[in-house]
Amino acid sequence: MTDTDSEPHGADSTVFGRSSTPATGWQPFAGHLTSGDAEGEVGKVAGTEDSTPLKFHVALSPGAYLQLDDVVSTSREIPGRGTVVTSGVVTEVVARHEGAAFGSDVFLIADGILPANVQEIAEITTTRVDPEYYVPPRPGEVAIRAAGTARDAALYFDRMDARVPAGIGRDGEPIYLNLEFLDGTRGAHVSISGISGVATKTSFALFLMHSLFTSGALGARAVNAKALIFSVKGEDLLFVDQPNIRLDETLRAAYAQLGLPARPFASAGFYAPPLPGDTTGRPHVTGRTSGVTAFWWTLAEFCERELLPYVFADAEDEKNQYTIVVHQVTSRLRREARPAGNDGAVAIDGTILRTWPDLVDFISDKVTDDLSRPDWAGPAIGLGTVNAFVRRLRSSQRPLGPLLRGDLSTVTDRPVSHSIDTSQQQVTVVDLHNLPERAQRFVVGVVLAAETERKEQVGPGGLLFTMVDELNKYAPREGSSPIKDVLLDIAERGRSLGIILIGAQQTASEVERRIVSNSSIKIVGRLDAAEAGRPEYGFLPPSQRQRATLARPGTMFVSQPEIPVPLAVEFPFPAWATRLSEVADPTFSTVASAAGQATGSAGRPDPFSRLPQAESDPWPDDTDDGAIDEPPY
């Protein structure tokens, strides 16, 4: 199940994470404010609880209410300074009987025998003090539910030169993100956490990019703004350029309230790995068979660009020293390999190599042979270290075989493009779901390294929003790897290059700390109770931590630097198709289906490809035999 699957795909449409019908008019919350009660009094600052400049309490008037996430303002006069307005967000609401001493008194009070009053008190966490005289609100001062310009001021929306819609708040009004913390001006990067299939992390990341590209916040820079998306959960993201069949007037109105058009991504390109065992370079997809380009790397490119370290993308064990051999072999391949023909093959020492297994066998022979080992593995390298390198190298034959090719012609009457290119469209989707996990890590690492190098050469003129799902696989908290180094580089200096990382993960506690801490925008969906208690979610107030364990699909808690309290938002259902059955254009579906039938069984993966290997296989996929590798001498 994917994040886009977390919404029920039944007959009823959903708008803000819940089912809607024409009768309800898609109002996301009860008590939606109207222009007539924009600043209604809800109560007075309570005197039974301590008031501080950063937190105060409001006793609600009879007939009034406050819910979590409402925006409240109060003011007081300071001699010689004028009026100070303190605004905040409701983070807790309690109700009690005043006058009751025992739990059973509630029955006497309900029967009218025991006198008591029902009192509700709301806890307000301060978001803004204007002007900045940090004095506590005085008990008895009037508290209002802020709306309109007062709400904008309380949430710093009035100070945002460029605002990006992030969804609808609990009060039924739009919530915005400050573009300056997204485009690298004052900060960059987004971290999205939540349970897989429930938190709708991917859906929100796509909505955020749609908002960035269509809200007008980027201005003229939108022309040069690109998105690179790595898809690891099915083929759902291969249809983001097609309207959703469930796109109706209700959903259009939801987008219109946010100032966004309800339409799919207008400019999108799709890439998928080639079909295993196929020498024609067809993409390995089944749902969408048109408009998808196959990608791979030739062996000549592999050697010239020094891509061997990305084959060893697992987090390194500190006991192992085989990485010394990796870098030695990488350097040797760059110096010795020569292109052989127009199909990407290479010639080394007179031997022509056309497939990845051929190159693996060649390297293994060179590093294990007593005569060639000093030149290929390095001087004074022990046999145990070499064997550790060879074991891991041979285990890559099956996962990386379809991606590293020297048997697919790239120079023909109609040149075949096999490289992932983000310059020809605004959104580039790289489908990885048919690849083993090791191959996924290789692709992510190589593509991100190439994009970083390209941005270094051309400068930060444009923006590249890079979405990486399951970030904990590529940048785990422990260990190191080439891919983790690339992601750390992007997190620490990517904003100066114009590369913005949008990382999604189930557990932020398992992601490298420096990547999470460098993310200006932190977003949380549905969380596991144990994960919600981790220190990585310290930016959430206690009430929101608990609410995160109950949040339904479509509800996110958004934290940004200017607002000290995360805001709960709901975002609209995708206006783009998330599967072939949701594509509104019947012609597209018919053509895609016909194309799929034409390919026949050749387009289907081998159903036995993932079964355990026979015991006779001398090089199983398991890269760890439990032995401690020999250090170099």
Side-chain angles (χ1 to χ4, degrees):
M1 178 178 287
T2 70
D3 283 335
T4 53
D5 291 335
S6 56
E7 294 281 350
H9 289 79
D12 295 336
S13 63
T14 55
V15 180
F16 290 104
R18 55 168 58 86
S19 180
S20 64
T21 62
T24 61
W26 68 271
Q27 291 182 356
F29 311 108
H32 178 69
L33 296 179
T34 63
S35 58
D37 57 5
E39 293 188 356
E41 178 180 341
V42 292
K44 299 183 183 299
V45 177
T48 56
E49 304 284 348
D50 292 338
S51 287
T52 71
L54 302 179
K55 185 172 292 186
F56 61 97
H57 298 77
V58 171
L60 302 185
S61 302
Y65 77 95
L66 282 175
Q67 63 173 333
L68 296 179
D69 305 310
D70 274 347
V71 183
V72 176
S73 294
T74 185
S75 61
R76 63 171 289 184
E77 293 292 330
I78 299 182
R81 300 296 184 182
T83 302
V84 175
V85 178
T86 303
S87 304
V89 173
V90 178
T91 51
E92 190 60 275
V93 183
V94 298
R96 62 164 63 94
H97 268 138
E98 293 183 334
F102 304 101
S104 59
D105 287 348
V106 65
F107 301 103
L108 300 177
I109 296 170
D111 293 336
I113 300 174
L114 183 66
N117 293 323
V118 175
Q119 182 60 61
E120 295 183 40
I121 296 181
E123 176 191 83
I124 316 297
T125 300
T126 300
T127 57
R128 185 170 180 179
V129 178
D130 191 25
E132 290 189 352
Y133 294 106
Y134 285 90
V135 294
R138 294 176 62 86
E141 297 288 355
V142 173
I144 64 171
R145 177 186 282 111
T149 57
R151 176 181 180 271
D152 288 348
L155 301 178
Y156 288 91
F157 295 160
D158 60 332
R159 292 192 177 182
M160 296 181 183
D161 294 332
R163 307 186 302 185
V164 179
I168 296 294
R170 292 292 300 172
D171 57 0
E173 296 297 325
I175 296 293
Y176 299 98
L177 297 176
N178 191 342
L179 180 65
E180 292 184 350
F181 292 101
L182 281 171
D183 65 358
T185 302
R186 298 166 60 188
H189 312 310
V190 180
S191 175
I192 308 176
S193 305
I195 299 175
S196 179
V198 180
T200 57
K201 302 184 298 294
T202 304
S203 296
F204 185 80
L206 286 172
F207 170 77
L208 181 58
M209 284 187 280
H210 172 77
S211 182
L212 280 163
F213 294 149
T214 62
S215 64
L218 288 172
R221 292 183 300 166
V223 177
N224 294 322
K226 310 289 184 181
L228 174 60
I229 302 172
F230 294 99
S231 174
V232 297
K233 298 177 180 176
E235 298 184 6
D236 294 352
L237 302 188
L238 294 182
F239 306 97
V240 297
D241 62 336
Q242 298 296 316
N244 196 308
I245 197 171
R246 300 165 67 184
L247 182 59
D248 55 15
E249 292 306 316
T250 300
L251 188 55
R252 294 181 191 275
Y255 278 87
Q257 188 185 12
L258 294 170
L260 303 175
R263 68 179 186 223
F265 292 90
S267 174
F270 306 94
Y271 292 86
L275 193 65
D278 182 75
T279 59
T280 62
R282 288 180 296 170
H284 190 185
V285 292
T286 55
R288 175 171 186 162
T289 55
S290 60
V292 182
T293 303
F295 69 88
W296 68 89
W297 288 267
T298 67
L299 295 183
E301 292 172 335
F302 178 85
C303 297
E304 180 184 358
R305 294 171 54 184
E306 300 182 334
L307 302 183
L308 182 62
Y310 297 99
V311 175
F312 302 84
D314 296 323
E316 297 172 4
D317 186 340
E318 295 179 356
K319 296 177 296 184
N320 294 331
Q321 303 295 329
Y322 69 88
T323 53
I324 298 175
V325 183
V326 173
H327 295 296
Q328 181 72 15
V329 173
T330 300
S331 178
R332 193 77 182 184
L333 289 175
R334 181 178 58 83
R335 294 195 307 266
E336 301 292 339
R338 297 290 182 268
N342 61 5
D343 52 7
V346 293
I348 308 177
D349 292 344
T351 303
I352 297 179
L353 309 170
R354 297 189 178 278
T355 66
W356 174 240
D358 290 344
L359 183 57
V360 169
D361 290 339
F362 180 86
I363 295 173
S364 299
D365 292 341
K366 289 294 184 181
V367 298
T368 55
D369 184 82
D370 292 337
L371 297 178
S372 59
R373 186 192 310 157
D375 293 333
W376 280 84
I381 296 296
L383 189 59
T385 300
V386 171
N387 288 338
F389 166 80
V390 172
R391 284 198 305 273
R392 289 160 174 81
L393 181 65
R394 286 195 176 276
S395 68
S396 71
Q397 293 183 74
R398 180 177 298 174
L400 295 184
L403 296 175
L404 301 174
R405 312 291 290 265
D407 57 350
L408 298 177
S409 178
T410 58
V411 181
T412 62
D413 294 338
R414 299 181 61 185
V416 179
S417 174
H418 66 282
S419 299
I420 297 173
D421 185 5
T422 61
S423 64
Q424 301 301 313
Q425 59 278 327
Q426 189 170 56
V427 177
T428 301
V429 178
V430 181
D431 179 44
L432 305 177
H433 84 281
N434 277 323
L435 292 175
E437 186 172 313
R438 185 169 185 176
Q440 292 179 7
R441 287 196 293 265
F442 176 84
V443 174
V444 172
V446 172
V447 173
L448 288 182
E451 289 297 326
T452 302
E453 182 180 358
R454 182 182 65 83
K455 292 291 289 182
E456 287 176 337
Q457 294 174 353
V458 302
L463 294 173
L464 179 65
F465 295 93
T466 304
M467 175 185 157
V468 181
D469 202 357
E470 303 297 340
L471 187 60
N472 52 291
K473 290 197 309 185
Y474 309 109
R477 175 150 297 189
E478 304 298 333
S480 62
S481 71
I483 296 178
K484 183 175 178 179
D485 292 341
V486 171
L487 288 168
L488 267 174
D489 187 39
I490 293 175
E492 293 176 342
R493 68 183 186 100
R495 73 186 188 101
S496 64
L497 300 174
I499 303 179
I500 312 302
L501 177 64
I502 301 177
Q505 60 278 325
Q506 296 185 41
T507 52
S509 61
E510 297 179 1
V511 177
E512 167 61 41
R513 290 183 180 90
R514 287 174 288 176
I515 293 180
V516 176
S517 62
N518 275 289
S519 298
S520 297
I521 309 296
K522 296 180 175 63
I523 300 169
V524 171
R526 177 75 170 267
L527 288 177
D528 176 80
E531 177 68 10
R534 302 276 186 174
E536 286 74 19
Y537 304 95
F539 61 91
L540 293 174
S543 61
Q544 288 192 358
R545 288 200 187 198
Q546 184 175 359
R547 289 168 62 194
T549 65
L550 307 172
R552 54 186 168 186
T555 299
M556 315 296 286
F557 298 93
V558 179
S559 173
Q560 55 183 318
E562 284 183 319
I563 306 175
V565 180
L567 303 177
V569 304
E570 293 187 351
F571 63 98
F573 190 81
W576 45 89
T578 61
R579 59 185 64 193
L580 181 59
S581 61
E582 290 183 350
V583 175
D585 183 6
T587 305
F588 178 90
S589 300
T590 302
V591 172
S593 299
Q597 294 174 1
T599 59
S601 60
R604 300 190 183 98
D606 179 7
F608 303 103
S609 62
R610 297 190 178 183
L611 288 178
Q613 295 177 316
E615 294 182 359
S616 60
D617 190 340
W619 299 107
D621 283 344
D622 185 7
T623 61
D624 187 2
D625 60 359
I628 298 178
D629 299 320
E630 178 183 344
Y633 294 101

